[in-house]
C-alpha cells in the first residue's frame, strides 16, 4: 500500500525487525525510529518515536530527493522489511531492513546489529542518509569518529560501528548524492567488519530469510487466517530475549494508553502474568523452541524465589529491582510525556502471579516433546509457589490491572490461586505422588468454596461474580473463569456473569477492562486483549458467527504490518499503548485457532 508523505508525525504504523537479541521499529518511510542496545531494555539510541517534535534526532533514515510516496511490505514468512521510496521524477529505491539471525559455527548468530541494504530500482535517485543516534535516553547525540569505510558512534559505555560501502563523508555530513549501485550498511559491534561487506550482507540476508522461513514451516497454523497468525507468531518470537528465554510485554516504553493521560509505562520487561497466555498460544502453534526457552526462564524465576514469593514482573535477565524513573530529555510520543524507564509495578502485591507461574510451568511435567521435562526437584520448588498461592488466596492485592492506590481481594487473583493448587494436584498425580495430589486437591476445593461464598453477587438479573470480594463491580478478567477451568461454558453462573459484563463493559466492537474510575480517572480506551477474551467467550457461549465477525473486525484494526498495540480508542479505532503488545499477539493466535474451520475442509 502506497503512502503519500506529509509532515513527520509519530504514529503506530511501525514495523518491527529483530533477531531475539536486539530489535527496532521502522516507520512507513524506512526511518529506524526506535531501537535499544544492547538489548530491548537498554538505552534507546534510536528514540525519535519518543522525541516529540525533534524527529531529526535519534533516527536513521534514507531521504530521497523529491520524495513523494512510500510503500512497504515484509518478505513472506520473515521479519525482513522492504520499503520502496519514490520521487516525483519517477526515480525510486528499495530498502531492505533486517537483523541477522542464522546458525553459524554450531550456534545461533544474532549480533547486536542492524543491517540495511539500499537498492536503486528506477531512474537516477538522489538520496541523503540521516544517521543521528543518541545516548543516555536522548540526553545528547552520540559522538563520532570515523575511518575510510566506517563511522564509530559512542553511545554510553560502548560504541557501535557503521560499516558501509556508501561514501562515508556524505553520510557524516548528511549530503545528498546519486545512488548508482546497491549500498550496504551494517551497524553493529565496534570491531572491523571481516570479509567483503557487499557479499557478506547479501549472504546474511539470504541466511536470515532461510532461517525464518524454515521456522515458520514448523508452526501448526490454523486453516483460516494463516498470514495473520504467522505474522503474530514471528513478532511474538521477536519479543523473546533468547539468551534467557524471557518474553517482554512490548518492545517500547511510555506509549500512552490514551492521549495526554500520563498512563505511560515501560513494558520492556517480562510480566509473569503473561506467562499462562503466552505458553497457551505457543502450544497451539507448536513453537517449541520459544516455549522451551520461556519455560527455562520461568524455572529460574522459581528457583530464585525466596520462600516461593513471586513478584509481578522481572527484567529479561531475571533482575527483580526495576526502579522507575523518568527520562527528562525525551518529550514523549507526540509530546505526551513522561517517558519512563523501569516500572514500579515490580513492588506491587499481585497474588494472581502465583497461579500465573504455576500454570505454564506445570506443562513441563506432561509434555513429552520437551528436551528437558520437569522432575521431582522442580515439583518441590513449585510447591513453594503453591504455598504462597494458598496463603494469599483471600488477601487483598493490587489485582490484575495493577491499581496503584487501592487494594481488594480480587476474584481473578483468588481463582488463579485455585488454579495453582489444582494444577499442582495434577502434576503430583503425574509424578505418582498420591498424598501430595490429595493435599493440593483439598486446598483447591477450599479456595473454590471461598470464591463461591465471597465473590458471588445476588441481584435481580440472575447474579454475577464480582471483580472483588468487597465490591459488586465487574471487570473483564471474569471472562477467564472458563478458560481457567473454574467454570464450564454452560454453567448458569458464567452465562449470567457474561451477560452482565457485556452490558456493563462492552462498547460496540470493544471491551473495557473495567468501567469504574481508577487511579487516573475513567478509562478512555479499550484493552485489546479483553476484546479477544470477549471473542473467546462468545465462542464458548455458542455465538460463533458473532465471534467470527468481531474477530475479523479486530483484524481490520491492525497496523499495515499486521500487528496491534495494547489499547484502542473505542470511538475512533485509533491504536494507543505500547507496541507491539504480546497480549494482543496472543489474542490473535488464540482466537484464530479457536474459530478457524478445520484443515479437513480442503480434503
Amino acid at each position: 500500500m502506497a503512502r503519500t508523505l506529509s509532515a513527520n508525525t509519530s504514529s503506530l504504523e511501525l514495523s518491527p525487525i529483530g533477531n531475539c537479541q536486539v530489535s527496532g521499529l521502522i516507520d512507513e518511510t524506512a526511518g529506524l525510529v526506535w531501537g535499544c542496545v544492547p538489548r530491548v531494555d537498554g538505552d534507546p539510541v534510536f528514540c525519535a518515536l519518543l522525541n516529540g517534535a525533534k524527529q531529526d534526532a535519534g533516527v536513521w533514515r534514507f531521504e530521497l530527493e523529491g520524495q513523494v510516496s512510500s510503500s512497504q511490505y515484509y518478505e513472506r514468512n520473515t521479519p525482513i522489511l522492504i520499503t520502496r521510496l519514490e520521487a516525483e521524477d519517477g526515480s525510486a529505491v528499495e530498502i531492505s531492513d533486517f537483523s541477522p539471525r542464522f546458525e553459524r559455527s554450531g550456534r545461533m548468530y544474532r549480533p547486536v546489529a542492524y543491517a540495511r541494504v539500499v537498492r536503486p530500482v528506477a531512474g537516477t535517485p538522489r538520496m541523503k542518509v540521516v544517521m543521528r543516534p543518541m545516548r543516555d535516553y536522548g540526553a545528547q547525540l552520540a559522538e563520532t569518529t570515523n575511518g575510510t569505510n566506517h563511522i564509530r558512534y559512542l553511545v554510553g559505555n560502548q560504541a557501535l560501528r557503521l560499516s558501509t560501502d556508501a561514501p562515508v563523508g556524505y553520510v557524516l555530513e548528511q549530503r545528498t548524492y546519486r545512488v548508482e549501485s546497491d549500498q550496504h550498511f551494517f551497524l553493529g559491534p565496534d570491531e572491523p567488519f571481516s570479509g567483503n561487506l557487499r557479499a557478506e550482507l547479501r549472504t546474511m540476508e539470504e541466511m536470515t530469510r532461510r532461517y525464518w522461513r524454515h521456522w515458520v514451516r514448523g508452526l501448526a497454523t490454523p486453516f483460516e487466517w494463516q498470514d495473520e497468525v504467522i505474522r503474530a507468531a514471528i513478532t511474538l518470537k521477536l519479543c523473546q530475549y533468547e539468551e534467557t528465554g524471557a518474553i517482554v510485554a512490548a518492545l517500547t516504553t511510555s506509549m500512552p494508553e490514551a492521549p495526554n493521560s500520563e498512563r505511560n509505562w515501560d513494558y520492556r520487561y517480562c510480566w509473569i502474568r503473561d506467562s499462562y497466555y503466552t505458553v497457551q498460544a505457543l502450544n497451539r502453534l507448536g513453537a517449541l523452541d520459544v516455549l522451551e526457552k520461556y519455560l527455562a526462564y520461568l524455572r529460574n524465576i522459581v528457583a530464585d524465589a525466596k520462600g516461593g514469593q513471586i513478584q509481578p514482573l522481572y527484567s529479561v535477565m531475571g533482575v527483580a529491582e526495576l526502579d522507575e524513573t523518568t527520562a527528562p530529555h525525551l518529550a514523549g510520543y507526540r509530546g505526551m510525556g513522561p517517558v519512563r524507564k523501569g516500572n514500579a509495578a515490580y513492588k506491587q502485591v499481585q497474588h494472581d502471579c502465583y497461579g500465573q507461574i504455576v500454570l505454564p510451568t506445570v506443562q513441563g511435567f506432561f509434555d513429552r516433546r520437551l528436551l528437558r521435562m520437569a522432575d521431582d526437584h522442580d515439583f518441590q520448588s513449585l510447591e513453594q509457589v503453591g504455598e504462597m498461592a494458598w496463603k494469599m488466596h483471600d488477601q487483598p492485592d493490587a489485582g490484575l490491572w495493577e491499581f496503584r492506590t487501592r487494594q481488594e481481594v480480587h476474584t481473578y487473583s483468588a481463582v488463579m490461586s485455585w488454579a495453582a493448587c489444582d494444577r499442582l494436584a495434577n502434576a503430583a498425580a503425574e509424578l505418582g505422588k498420591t498424598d501430595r495430589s490429595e493435599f493440593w486437591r483439598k486446598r483447591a476445593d477450599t479456595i473454590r468454596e471461598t470464591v463461591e461464598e465471597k465473590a458471588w453477587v445476588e441481584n435481580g438479573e440472575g447474579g454475577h461474580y464480582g471483580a472483588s470480594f468487597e465490591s459488586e463491580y465487574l471487570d473483564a478478567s471474569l471472562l477467564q473463569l472458563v478458560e481457567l477451568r473454574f467454570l464450564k461454558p454452560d454453567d448458569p453462573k458464567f452465562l449470567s456473569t457474561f451477560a452482565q459484563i457485556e452490558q456493563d463493559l462492552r462498547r460496540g466492537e470493544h471491551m473495557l477492562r473495567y468501567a469504574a474510575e481508577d487511579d487516573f480517572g475513567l478509562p478512555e480506551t479499550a484493552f485489546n486483549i479483553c476484546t479477544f477474551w470477549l471473542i473467546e467467550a462468545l465462542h464458548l457461549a455458542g455465538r460463533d458467527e458473532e465471534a467470527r465477525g468481531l474477530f475479523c473486525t479486530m483484524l481490520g484494526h491492525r497496523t499495515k504490518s499486521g500487528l496491534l498495540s495494547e489499547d484502542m480508542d473505542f470511538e475512533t479505532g485509533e491504536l494507543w499503548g505500547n507496541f507491539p503488545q504480546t497480549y494482543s499477539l496472543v489474542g490473535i493466535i488464540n482466537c484464530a485457532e479457536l474459530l478457524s474451520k478445520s484443515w479437513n475442509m480442503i480434503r
Side-chain angles (χ1 to χ4, degrees):
M1 179 179 287
R3 172 182 181 267
T4 300
L5 299 184
S6 58
N8 256 323
T9 302
S10 293
S11 82
L12 288 184
E13 284 296 346
L14 303 166
S15 299
I17 60 170
N19 59 6
C20 305
Q21 171 68 40
V22 70
S23 57
L25 296 178
I26 310 291
D27 71 11
E28 292 182 277
T29 59
L32 178 53
V33 296
W34 184 256
C36 304
V37 296
R39 60 183 189 234
V40 65
D41 58 352
D43 190 359
V45 297
F46 297 107
C47 55
L49 181 65
L50 298 183
N51 215 7
K54 296 187 290 185
Q55 296 284 303
D56 62 341
V59 70
W60 181 8
R61 68 171 71 251
F62 304 99
E63 295 183 358
L64 194 62
E65 186 175 73
Q67 189 171 321
V68 293
S69 67
S70 69
S71 58
Q72 205 168 54
Y73 66 93
Y74 280 114
E75 289 194 7
R76 190 176 76 89
N77 294 355
T78 79
I80 299 175
L81 183 70
I82 308 297
T83 307
R84 181 184 177 97
L85 304 179
E86 297 184 349
E88 55 190 357
D89 65 359
S91 60
V93 297
E94 282 189 350
I95 300 155
S96 176
D97 277 302
F98 66 99
S99 288
R101 179 179 173 83
F102 49 86
E103 288 190 23
R104 186 171 77 175
S105 301
R107 59 184 179 181
M108 189 62 67
Y109 177 66
R110 43 176 172 78
V112 178
Y114 302 98
R116 315 193 76 179
V117 181
V118 180
R119 298 180 172 96
V121 293
T124 55
R126 285 171 51 81
M127 182 185 76
K128 176 171 67 176
V129 181
V130 178
M131 178 68 166
R132 292 167 64 83
M134 305 193 80
R135 56 180 293 178
D136 302 328
Y137 280 80
Q140 62 187 69
L141 289 170
E143 298 177 10
T144 64
T145 60
N146 66 280
T148 306
N149 301 112
H150 75 269
I151 305 171
R152 294 176 71 246
Y153 297 91
L154 305 178
V155 287
N157 296 322
Q158 61 185 315
L160 295 174
R161 178 183 293 234
L162 176 66
S163 299
T164 182
D165 52 14
V168 168
Y170 287 159
V171 176
L172 280 169
E173 298 180 19
Q174 297 186 41
R175 291 188 179 275
T176 302
Y177 62 95
R178 285 171 62 108
V179 182
E180 298 182 340
S181 61
D182 292 1
Q183 296 189 344
H184 304 80
F185 301 82
F186 184 85
L187 181 68
D190 184 24
E191 54 194 38
F193 193 93
S194 59
N196 179 282
L197 180 68
R198 178 188 183 94
E200 286 294 320
L201 252 63
R202 289 189 172 191
T203 299
M204 287 183 184
E205 187 175 15
E206 175 54 33
M207 293 182 72
T208 298
R209 179 183 297 114
R210 187 182 307 164
Y211 166 82
W212 284 103
R213 287 183 173 169
H214 276 78
W215 183 78
V216 168
R217 285 183 67 212
L219 298 180
T221 57
F223 174 64
E224 296 181 273
W225 305 297
Q226 292 181 58
D227 289 338
E228 293 85 346
V229 168
I230 287 170
R231 183 54 51 198
I234 288 173
T235 310
L236 186 61
K237 184 173 174 66
L238 292 182
C239 289
Q240 181 170 62
Y241 182 65
E242 190 168 60
E243 183 177 318
T244 63
I247 297 178
V248 297
L251 298 178
T252 58
T253 176
S254 304
M255 305 294 284
E257 294 180 12
N260 298 303
S261 64
E262 296 194 14
R263 297 175 188 259
N264 302 7
W265 315 116
D266 192 347
Y267 274 16
R268 300 171 298 163
Y269 304 110
C270 185
W271 263 258
I272 298 304
R273 173 194 315 125
D274 299 2
S275 300
Y276 171 69
Y277 300 104
T278 302
V279 168
Q280 181 189 58
L282 294 172
N283 258 333
R284 285 173 167 159
L285 289 173
L288 278 182
D289 60 331
V290 184
L291 175 61
E292 284 194 305
K293 290 182 182 297
Y294 196 31
L295 290 178
Y297 174 81
L298 295 178
R299 285 195 296 269
N300 275 315
I301 294 297
V302 171
D304 290 339
K306 298 176 180 178
Q309 190 165 1
I310 302 295
Q311 65 186 44
L313 68 153
Y314 298 83
S315 82
V316 295
M317 299 300 295
V319 175
E321 293 77 24
L322 304 172
D323 293 334
E324 185 177 301
T325 59
T326 58
H329 301 288
L330 292 175
Y333 179 71
R334 300 183 187 174
M336 300 176 190
V339 172
R340 292 188 170 93
K341 48 183 177 177
N343 198 308
Y346 84 90
K347 298 178 180 178
Q348 287 190 340
V349 176
Q350 294 179 28
H351 299 323
D352 64 301
C353 64
Y354 299 111
Q356 298 281 17
I357 205 165
V358 169
L359 266 63
T361 306
V362 158
Q363 178 167 339
F365 298 100
F366 295 90
D367 195 336
R368 301 292 174 181
R369 300 170 299 172
L370 300 176
L371 292 174
R372 181 203 180 279
M373 293 189 65
D375 55 23
D376 286 357
H377 179 74
D378 295 313
F379 182 75
Q380 291 170 13
S381 296
L382 207 56
E383 279 196 299
Q384 295 183 49
V385 179
E387 286 292 340
M388 290 298 296
W390 166 253
K391 181 179 178 181
M392 297 299 176
H393 77 272
D394 58 355
Q395 298 300 305
D397 70 353
L400 171 69
W401 308 122
E402 299 181 345
F403 296 118
R404 292 199 168 198
T405 60
R406 70 171 188 261
Q407 291 192 349
E408 296 177 316
V409 182
H410 289 93
T411 302
Y412 181 83
S413 296
V415 172
M416 268 294 176
S417 292
W418 167 84
C421 296
D422 176 76
R423 304 314 193 266
L424 280 169
N426 294 343
E430 178 69 10
L431 293 172
K433 299 177 181 294
T434 304
D435 57 335
R436 300 309 295 167
S437 180
E438 292 176 356
F439 175 83
W440 288 110
R441 182 65 60 208
K442 288 178 181 178
R443 285 190 163 181
D445 291 343
T446 300
I447 296 175
R448 173 182 285 279
E449 291 170 3
T450 301
V451 172
E452 295 290 2
E453 177 186 351
K454 303 288 187 180
W456 183 253
V457 177
E458 293 286 355
N459 60 23
E461 301 178 67
H464 67 81
Y465 289 97
S468 75
F469 289 6
E470 296 90 346
S471 59
E472 298 185 5
Y473 76 93
L474 293 151
D475 81 35
S477 69
L478 298 169
L479 294 175
Q480 291 294 286
L481 297 186
V482 170
E483 178 60 44
L484 294 172
R485 302 205 301 267
F486 187 82
L487 297 176
K488 294 182 178 179
D490 59 354
D491 190 310
K493 286 188 172 182
F494 171 70
L495 295 175
S496 179
T497 301
F498 179 26
Q500 291 177 62
I501 287 175
E502 272 201 281
Q503 179 180 315
D504 285 12
L505 303 183
R506 187 169 178 177
R507 300 292 185 272
E509 61 190 35
H510 305 286
M511 177 66 76
L512 303 182
R513 285 174 286 185
Y514 44 82
E517 189 168 330
D518 63 13
D519 312 337
F520 291 82
L522 290 172
E524 301 174 63
T525 52
F527 203 60
N528 289 329
I529 188 59
C530 294
T531 304
F532 287 118
W533 289 351
L534 168 63
I535 293 167
E536 292 174 3
L538 290 169
H539 166 73
L540 292 170
R543 295 158 62 182
D544 270 9
E545 285 306 310
E546 188 177 353
R548 288 175 62 89
L550 184 53
F551 181 53
C552 290
T553 298
M554 280 298 290
L555 293 179
H557 286 299
R558 294 173 304 148
T559 61
K560 295 183 183 72
S561 58
L563 306 173
L564 288 167
S565 62
E566 180 187 47
D567 307 277
M568 193 182 302
D569 187 309
F570 49 81
E571 294 182 352
T572 68
E574 183 175 8
L575 293 173
W576 290 90
N578 283 300
F579 178 89
Q581 179 75 10
T582 301
Y583 252 170
S584 300
L585 301 175
V586 166
I588 292 171
I589 294 167
N590 285 343
C591 286
E593 293 279 0
L594 284 175
L595 299 174
S596 174
K597 296 174 183 176
S598 168
W599 277 96
N600 291 328
M601 296 290 292
I602 63 174
R603 294 177 185 170

